[in-house]
Amino acid sequence: MNDLKNFPFTVELSFSKVLEMLKKRMEQSKSTINKNYLQSIIDYAGGYPELIEGIDDFDNLDKYKEATTILLDNLFPAVLTRNEIKSASIPFHNVLFNPTKRFSSILKNAGPDFKFELRNLDEESLYIMGCVIILNTYYDYDIDFIKPMYYDIPEKNGIWRSYRATMNADFIYLEPTENAVEITQEIAEELIDSVDDFEMWEKYFPPKSWKMKGIAIMSLTDVTIDDSISDLKSTLLSDKSFKEGSVKHFTEIFQSIFNIPNLRVGFTEFNSENDSFVKMDDNLAESFILNDEINSKCNNCMCQNSYNALVRDKRYFVIPDTEKYAEKSDHSLLAENLLSQNIQSCILAPIAKGNKLLGILELASGERNKLHSLNATKLDEVMPFLVSTLERKRFDLENRIKAVIQSECTSIHPSVLWVFEEEAKRFIANQDNGKFASFKDISFEDVYPLYGQIDIVGSSDERNKSIQKDILIQLNMVDSILNLALEVAPMPIYEQVKFRIEEFTLNIEKTLNASAENEVFSLLQSEVNPLLNHLTTNIPELKEAINNYKEAINTETGLIYRNRKNYDDTVQLINQNMATFLDRRQQEAQLIFPHYFERYKTDGVDHNIYIGASMTPNNKFNKVYLYNLRLWQLCTMCEMENNFYHKQEGAELQLDAASLILVFSTTLSIRYRMDEKKFDVDGTYNARYEIIKKRIDKALVKGTDERVTQKGQIAIIYSQDSDAEEYTRYIKYLQRKQYLGPQIEYVELEDVQGVVGLKAIRVEVLYTSKLPRKGAEETITYEDLMEILD
């Protein structure tokens, strides 16, 4: 806490609240001895009226030392003074008085130059904290803004210890000055929503516009070990682990954990291929095991006991007295190495994942018995994080390759990963050799595209219906509350708001326009919610109804989210099921011939496939694989239609699907777009394919207002008659397999912007019930399926 001149309130030291507490305790006390004792303190306080009224001169508090000690005697029991870390303080100032003996000792050991300040708290955050205290204390708000407060204090030996502070503010109170701004509910809500807008907080709480009087009681708890372990975990989990300077940071952390100022930290890696210990690359850390050696066979540099413990059993090997260990081990190389480095006690901790040893953490001290089997247990909590860090370092090159690919290209389908890995290796090689490194464009020539989609029919209408239902439910609940209010205590304002609610209800029942949700939200926030707060306080009969209303609304949006949630959950579940089904089927399709595949979820599931010789240089491509993949796609779309409806059995909300397949008869080129992190067609001519994809689902059958995609059917869009002949063969085959119905329809499509001359084949899907008939699944039409689902 800083001595801030620019703050929302001025602070005065006052014991008036302490005196009130003493008087209350005296009145409640049944002990004559206790009453006399408390009365004597109260009488004593009468001799220091300035301490009761308040003083703002904090430089001469020493003259009140005896008085403050007596007044605070109840709060600072003498029996606990060597145990508790506690002191009285002036709020928001670095002024401490009447500290316990333990607190005084801690501050004395910190040295004369130590400045007692909070860790990581900037002045703006502190200012806003002061404003929140005013809102909570004076205006009875319950805003949680207080962050954990920590102080870092050094010991005589130079080790820093961490303390968590708690503040007892029972003995302070606030008073507005003539410059204070009256805070209304609207202002308070505006402030809560603008925690980062310091100027707004300063506007409503001008500097020194309030007055704070009283004292605060500060208590500290030593959390050095917990804080150091947390710091170590954060460091190990960060990308900076095992970088230049990180070992020094680790050393400082371990010194705090073990409270040993001369503690040294080392790391030794383990090579499982030849059972040897190896120094870390670039001498990032010392190796006390190896000393000056770069690497050594484990059996050569260790005695049998240490080898068995570390390498075979993966358990700590502790040496509390190195000289005694040297005698017992017949002066093994490990013992001699430790002694030559003036290591008198040490802990060697294996860093292992399962049964796989990755390396050794070494903690060493120049004093005997400073490190032993008891304090070695402090490592138990951090060892898993060391395992993750060393394993990450072990596979550094592989991770670098993947990191380059991820940063330049995001996730890549396995079928084309090879070309990205080759480019990533070239990229890294140029980096390591000091050459200019850039990730070249990835492109594939002469590939055949396949596109398909299964879409939810009328998704926008269904979504709007669910929103409309939720809004009407909420408006009706408010209307019911207002009817009760008018019965119990009629007022014109209730009738006015009720009229507004009914007006909105009538409009929304007719149609839900794009702005209706925002308009309703604005009405609820500005008129309804303040009124409900008023009714809760003034008409107890409405409390239950209002509580039921508040429980029904979503706390984040302020609106009922019941039917919309049902719709969103249904769509999400359907999409996830279809995506999972398609992913599983696509793995089988890769066995036909390796190809690029991507799918994405909207109000349905779309997928792109590219296949061609340029994508698989090690496999000879033939158009037979393309035909197989097209047949697989049509078959899979039929199965996805079935999956779509089967997953809805028993669901409250029933949705319909419409599917299409786009046939593109010529090859095209695709290029990986670094800015969009995905493959896209390359060149102006090929762009026609993307235009068609974006517009065909809304295309109309020529001469009608009917969309080409219809529920219960698959629409196959094409432009060449040869494509129609090919897919007619597939359709006949799937009709015999009872995937498709007998009705086939050939239609022409109306021209859409940029796309002319398209045609379509529409064929009905046969849906399978789950009721077997004569040992085989029954195939049924869409209408029959709807009857079963209903």
Side-chain angles (χ1 to χ4, degrees), residues 71-123:
L71 290 173
L72 295 173
D73 184 65
N74 269 263
L75 299 172
F76 289 77
V79 71
L80 298 177
T81 190
R82 297 186 183 277
N83 182 44
E84 291 186 330
I85 311 172
K86 187 175 175 182
S87 175
S89 69
I90 297 173
F92 292 91
H93 287 69
N94 286 330
V95 179
L96 304 177
F97 58 96
N98 201 54
T100 61
K101 288 187 177 180
R102 185 179 176 190
F103 201 171
S104 296
S105 176
I106 289 172
L107 294 177
K108 181 180 179 181
N109 291 335
D113 297 328
F114 171 70
K115 193 172 183 181
F116 188 71
E117 288 184 339
L118 272 173
R119 179 203 301 173
N120 298 332
L121 187 63
D122 60 87
E123 291 189 1

Side-chain angles (χ1 to χ4, degrees), residues 468 471-477 479 498-511 520 523:
Q468 183 183 42
I471 291 176
L472 290 175
I473 290 172
Q474 187 163 1
L475 292 177
N476 287 332
M477 290 183 75
D479 190 60
K498 177 177 168 58
F499 171 75
R500 293 268 285 152
I501 294 293
E502 291 173 348
E503 186 180 37
F504 267 86
T505 301
L506 288 173
N507 292 335
I508 291 172
E509 282 177 342
K510 293 178 184 177
T511 180
V520 169
L523 171 68

Side-chain angles (χ1 to χ4, degrees), residues 10 19 166 174 265-266 279 314 368 402 416 632 703 790:
T10 58
L19 201 61
T166 54
L174 288 153
V265 177
K279 267 194 177 180
K314 318 301 188 294
R368 286 187 301 161
K402 291 181 179 179
V416 294
W632 168 88
D790 290 340

Side-chain angles (χ1 to χ4, degrees), residues 41 105 135 185 187 227 258 279 323 457 535 594 620 654:
I41 296 178
S105 176
L135 288 173
Q185 182 175 345
I187 292 175
D227 199 38
F258 286 86
K279 267 194 177 180
E323 290 183 356
V457 175
L535 293 174
K620 189 174 181 180
Q654 297 290 332

Side-chain angles (χ1 to χ4, degrees), residues 2-186:
N2 298 318
D3 297 321
L4 299 177
K5 296 179 180 178
N6 185 30
F7 209 57
F9 44 71
T10 58
V11 179
E12 291 184 9
L13 172 65
S14 169
F15 283 77
S16 61
K17 285 283 185 178
V18 175
L19 201 61
E20 288 178 13
M21 180 267 293
L22 294 174
K23 290 178 179 177
K24 188 173 182 180
R25 285 187 59 190
M26 187 184 72
E27 292 171 359
Q28 295 174 346
S29 177
K30 296 179 180 180
S31 167
T32 304
I33 295 174
N34 193 41
K35 280 190 173 185
N36 291 337
Y37 166 70
L38 293 172
Q39 184 63 56
S40 66
I41 296 178
I42 294 170
D43 293 340
Y44 178 85
Y48 295 90
E50 66 272 31
L51 291 181
I52 309 304
E53 292 298 322
I55 59 175
D56 56 8
D57 180 10
F58 308 140
D59 294 329
N60 298 307
L61 289 182
D62 284 344
K63 67 179 182 180
Y64 297 109
K65 186 175 182 179
E66 180 181 340
T68 56
T69 301
I70 293 173
L71 290 173
L72 295 173
D73 184 65
N74 269 263
L75 299 172
F76 289 77
V79 71
L80 298 177
T81 190
R82 297 186 183 277
N83 182 44
E84 291 186 330
I85 311 172
K86 187 175 175 182
S87 175
S89 69
I90 297 173
F92 292 91
H93 287 69
N94 286 330
V95 179
L96 304 177
F97 58 96
N98 201 54
T100 61
K101 288 187 177 180
R102 185 179 176 190
F103 201 171
S104 296
S105 176
I106 289 172
L107 294 177
K108 181 180 179 181
N109 291 335
D113 297 328
F114 171 70
K115 193 172 183 181
F116 188 71
E117 288 184 339
L118 272 173
R119 179 203 301 173
N120 298 332
L121 187 63
D122 60 87
E123 291 189 1
E124 288 188 358
S125 297
L126 195 60
Y127 193 105
I128 294 175
M129 183 187 294
C131 300
V132 173
I133 289 174
I134 297 172
L135 288 173
N136 289 344
T137 305
Y138 191 85
Y139 289 100
D140 293 325
Y141 282 88
D142 186 18
I143 302 169
D144 184 9
F145 182 76
I146 304 300
K147 301 177 182 178
M149 297 183 294
Y150 293 92
Y151 289 91
D152 296 311
I153 307 174
E155 291 188 321
K156 275 184 178 180
N157 58 18
I159 291 180
W160 285 79
R161 304 199 68 79
S162 300
Y163 298 86
R164 184 176 64 247
T166 54
M167 302 294 291
N168 183 337
D170 292 344
F171 307 107
I172 63 173
Y173 62 99
L174 288 153
E175 296 175 346
T177 69
E178 59 184 9
N179 297 324
V181 177
E182 178 64 21
I183 305 299
T184 64
Q185 182 175 345
E186 290 77 11

Side-chain angles (χ1 to χ4, degrees), residues 79-323:
V79 71
L80 298 177
T81 190
R82 297 186 183 277
N83 182 44
E84 291 186 330
I85 311 172
K86 187 175 175 182
S87 175
S89 69
I90 297 173
F92 292 91
H93 287 69
N94 286 330
V95 179
L96 304 177
F97 58 96
N98 201 54
T100 61
K101 288 187 177 180
R102 185 179 176 190
F103 201 171
S104 296
S105 176
I106 289 172
L107 294 177
K108 181 180 179 181
N109 291 335
D113 297 328
F114 171 70
K115 193 172 183 181
F116 188 71
E117 288 184 339
L118 272 173
R119 179 203 301 173
N120 298 332
L121 187 63
D122 60 87
E123 291 189 1
E124 288 188 358
S125 297
L126 195 60
Y127 193 105
I128 294 175
M129 183 187 294
C131 300
V132 173
I133 289 174
I134 297 172
L135 288 173
N136 289 344
T137 305
Y138 191 85
Y139 289 100
D140 293 325
Y141 282 88
D142 186 18
I143 302 169
D144 184 9
F145 182 76
I146 304 300
K147 301 177 182 178
M149 297 183 294
Y150 293 92
Y151 289 91
D152 296 311
I153 307 174
E155 291 188 321
K156 275 184 178 180
N157 58 18
I159 291 180
W160 285 79
R161 304 199 68 79
S162 300
Y163 298 86
R164 184 176 64 247
T166 54
M167 302 294 291
N168 183 337
D170 292 344
F171 307 107
I172 63 173
Y173 62 99
L174 288 153
E175 296 175 346
T177 69
E178 59 184 9
N179 297 324
V181 177
E182 178 64 21
I183 305 299
T184 64
Q185 182 175 345
E186 290 77 11
I187 292 175
E189 290 174 354
E190 185 182 12
L191 288 167
I192 293 170
D193 290 336
S194 308
V195 68
D196 294 325
D197 191 347
F198 175 74
E199 292 181 359
M200 181 183 294
W201 287 87
E202 197 174 36
K203 170 186 173 184
Y204 292 119
F205 294 95
K208 301 182 180 180
S209 57
W210 288 75
K211 182 181 292 187
M212 175 182 279
K213 288 187 174 184
I215 65 167
I217 307 298
M218 174 190 293
S219 297
L220 300 185
T221 303
D222 191 335
V223 293
T224 303
I225 293 180
D226 292 341
D227 199 38
S228 297
I229 289 175
S230 177
D231 190 9
L232 182 62
K233 289 178 181 179
S234 300
T235 304
L236 290 172
L237 291 172
S238 73
D239 292 335
K240 297 179 180 179
S241 301
F242 291 109
K243 301 295 183 184
E244 185 177 356
S246 61
V247 175
K248 182 176 181 292
H249 184 50
F250 289 162
T251 301
E252 293 171 350
I253 294 173
F254 279 115
Q255 286 173 350
S256 294
I257 293 174
F258 286 86
N259 197 26
I260 301 175
N262 63 355
L263 185 74
R264 296 157 63 189
V265 177
F267 292 93
T268 301
E269 293 190 83
F270 175 72
N271 187 336
S272 59
E273 294 179 2
N274 55 16
D275 198 39
S276 64
F277 287 127
V278 184
K279 267 194 177 180
M280 294 188 71
D281 296 337
D282 301 320
N283 292 316
L284 287 173
E286 290 182 273
S287 171
F288 306 132
I289 293 174
L290 295 173
N291 198 2
D292 295 328
E293 297 293 325
I294 301 298
N295 58 72
S296 175
K297 289 282 188 178
C298 297
N299 283 327
N300 294 339
C301 62
M302 311 200 91
C303 68
Q304 193 60 44
N305 287 339
S306 58
Y307 178 87
N308 290 342
L310 294 168
V311 181
R312 192 184 67 183
D313 299 334
K314 318 301 188 294
R315 56 184 172 83
Y316 300 160
F317 187 74
V318 183
I319 304 174
D321 188 330
T322 308
E323 290 183 356

Side-chain angles (χ1 to χ4, degrees), residues 413 579-595 597 609 611 625 628-633 635-637 639-640 739:
H413 192 267
T580 302
F581 178 84
L582 182 58
D583 288 344
R584 188 169 57 248
R585 292 287 284 115
Q586 205 277 325
Q587 292 175 8
E588 301 170 9
Q590 288 292 338
L591 301 177
I592 297 173
F593 191 83
H595 57 274
F597 169 83
I609 295 174
I611 185 173
Y625 298 123
N628 269 277
L629 204 54
R630 284 176 172 175
L631 178 57
W632 168 88
Q633 182 188 36
C635 180
T636 299
M637 294 296 288
E639 293 173 351
M640 288 182 69
Y739 276 76

